[in-house]
Amino acid sequence: QVQLVESGGGLVQAGGSLRLSCTASGSIFSINSMGWYRQAPGKQRDLVAIHSSGTAITYADSVKGRFTISRDIGKNTVYLQMSSLKPEDTAVYYCYHKQLGGWRWYEYWGQGTQVTVSS
């Protein structure tokens, strides 16, 4: 089992910045990805950014150039630096961890942290 603990959400004005953090604990396997999804009210949960245990990084088109994902492998922590925030970035942000164990992939989710961007 893997537990994910998020921090860093809050209320910010449009154009501002926030930094989210997520630390994984438990049985962490070496081949894994960590990242962030978000879900706005009445909408589906969508990928924001994801970082593999190697160097592969994927961003949603809507956040490219504004958000930066990074990882501290030794601390099992992933960060999301969010800049130039827009009201449409308002959502619950969920930390995501996926790892290869044996023959299958395992997925885990954090409890979510609210990000609210006021206009």
Side-chain angles (χ1 to χ4, degrees), residues 46-87:
D46 291 325
L47 174 71
V48 176
I50 195 159
H51 193 315
S52 73
S53 51
T55 58
I57 292 176
T58 300
Y59 291 103
D61 288 343
S62 60
V63 307
K64 284 180 181 177
R66 299 189 298 122
F67 291 10
T68 301
I69 189 170
S70 60
R71 288 187 67 174
D72 185 328
I73 301 293
K75 294 182 179 180
N76 293 319
T77 298
V78 64
Y79 306 96
L80 186 67
Q81 179 66 47
M82 303 184 292
S83 303
S84 302
L85 283 161
K86 305 175 181 179

Side-chain angles (χ1 to χ4, degrees), residues 16-107:
S17 299
L18 280 176
R19 188 192 195 209
L20 305 182
S21 301
C22 174
T23 298
S25 61
S27 300
I28 309 296
F29 300 148
S30 59
I31 299 176
N32 64 71
S33 296
M34 289 189 75
W36 298 90
Y37 283 70
R38 67 186 180 186
Q39 187 168 20
K43 296 188 176 181
Q44 66 182 19
R45 189 175 297 187
D46 291 325
L47 174 71
V48 176
I50 195 159
H51 193 315
S52 73
S53 51
T55 58
I57 292 176
T58 300
Y59 291 103
D61 288 343
S62 60
V63 307
K64 284 180 181 177
R66 299 189 298 122
F67 291 10
T68 301
I69 189 170
S70 60
R71 288 187 67 174
D72 185 328
I73 301 293
K75 294 182 179 180
N76 293 319
T77 298
V78 64
Y79 306 96
L80 186 67
Q81 179 66 47
M82 303 184 292
S83 303
S84 302
L85 283 161
K86 305 175 181 179
E88 50 264 44
D89 294 317
T90 295
V92 177
Y93 284 69
Y94 294 92
C95 181
Y96 172 79
H97 177 91
K98 179 180 179 180
Q99 64 183 24
L100 182 63
W103 295 98
R104 58 165 288 188
W105 289 93
Y106 295 84
E107 297 179 305

